[in-house]
Amino acid sequence: RVLVGFREKQGRFVADIGHCDVLDPVFGQKLEALSDLVGQLSVRSAVPQIEIAVGDESAAMIIRHLEALTSDDVMALKKWSDAHHIAVYLQPKGPDTIHGLTESGTLSYTLPDFDIQLSFHPEQFIQVNAKINQQLIRRALEWLSLDEQDRVLDLFCGLGNFTLPLATRAKEVVGVEGDATLVEAAKANALANKLSNAFFHVADLSLAPEAHAFLRQSFDAVLIDPPRSGAESVLPVVAASQAKRIVYVSCNPATLARDAGILVKDYGYHLKTAGIADMFPHTAHVESIALFEGRP
């Protein structure tokens, strides 16, 4: 049979599992059903991966296939989609070829503490653990201690996961992200949530971020939520902003530790407090969060 699951640690093989408690139950309890689905496709040996996305009310998956589907394959996928209420997208080549095969509702998730709903496309990045994500946002805003006069910079902002909650507490928030499609989604989410004080820019923060005029401004607070590689390249901009408080959210404790050293040693910030969120239970990965304060 076709194995559907995660690859084994440091290996090329897929682990033989019937369910996965780390995944959202929408998919974690359907691995055998997915195995049956892929197993009946004519291109089953040419399906290297399935990407999944789960919102509050709907779910979707993107099937990467290296060979053309037959009409029977398409019919099988549509039938499975109807039976399990999961939208199916296809990806025959690169990311720009992703397209919907079946009708789907809008994927979205809510942040009830802030009365915000964020919509997203199945190929766009969101935090996979909704409950821990809500707690991280709550803690980040608590530590930043914003008031209605504060200007905030949100770096690596994605589709506005932190930016929009920040906008409910601050005078103005500037979100910066390297992925143009995520920035468009963030703008749409701000508009849908009637937040006119959130502004977004596209910028590759790994390449000379100080060249961008919108980053050469003063801010009262900064939130950083970088990829695993960390935020070393943008720390000079953060320090130049004269922000009194910085909250750094990290999926890689090693790069957070490196960047913390730079903020403290080179720029005079103090590590005020830090914590760990078990966003990826039963794995070696954690999400970390730290608060830095500037010199008095």
Side-chain angles (χ1 to χ4, degrees), residues 136-147:
L136 272 176
I137 295 170
R138 190 182 308 129
R139 183 59 54 87
L141 267 70
E142 174 190 327
W143 285 0
L144 286 175
S145 187
L146 302 173
D147 63 41

Side-chain angles (χ1 to χ4, degrees), residues 22-186:
V22 175
L23 281 176
D24 188 287
V26 170
F27 286 100
Q29 303 302 319
K30 290 187 173 68
L31 297 187
E32 292 182 348
L34 279 169
S35 172
D36 294 340
L37 170 65
V38 179
Q40 64 180 292
L41 300 179
S42 68
V43 297
R44 56 186 170 275
S45 61
V47 177
Q49 69 182 41
I50 299 173
E51 208 167 339
I52 64 174
V54 181
D56 290 345
E57 304 294 338
S58 56
M61 63 182 184
I62 303 173
I63 297 179
R64 177 79 171 99
H65 57 100
L66 305 179
E67 297 177 8
L69 300 175
T70 66
S71 58
D72 287 344
D73 291 338
V74 170
M75 187 178 300
L77 291 170
K78 289 182 176 179
K79 184 178 179 181
W80 193 94
S81 174
D82 290 340
H84 295 276
H85 308 290
I86 294 175
V88 174
Y89 288 73
L90 301 177
Q91 183 184 347
K93 293 184 180 179
D96 58 337
T97 66
I98 295 173
H99 62 281
L101 175 67
T102 62
E103 291 187 11
S104 62
T106 301
L107 288 167
S108 66
Y109 63 94
T110 57
L111 300 174
D113 287 355
F114 308 96
D115 194 24
I116 287 173
Q117 183 177 65
L118 293 100
S119 299
F120 63 97
H121 188 274
E123 66 177 312
Q124 293 175 333
F125 174 84
I126 65 166
Q127 295 288 7
V128 298
N129 190 319
K131 291 183 178 179
I132 295 296
N133 181 53
Q134 291 177 21
Q135 293 181 41
L136 272 176
I137 295 170
R138 190 182 308 129
R139 183 59 54 87
L141 267 70
E142 174 190 327
W143 285 0
L144 286 175
S145 187
L146 302 173
D147 63 41
E148 58 186 15
Q149 297 303 315
D150 285 333
R151 298 185 71 247
V152 186
L153 178 63
D154 181 11
L155 299 173
F156 309 95
C157 69
L159 50 77
N161 184 59
F162 284 100
T163 324
L164 301 193
L166 288 167
T168 68
R169 301 288 189 270
K171 178 180 180 180
E172 179 182 311
V173 185
V174 176
V176 185
E177 166 62 45
D179 186 325
T181 61
L182 283 174
V183 169
E184 289 305 310

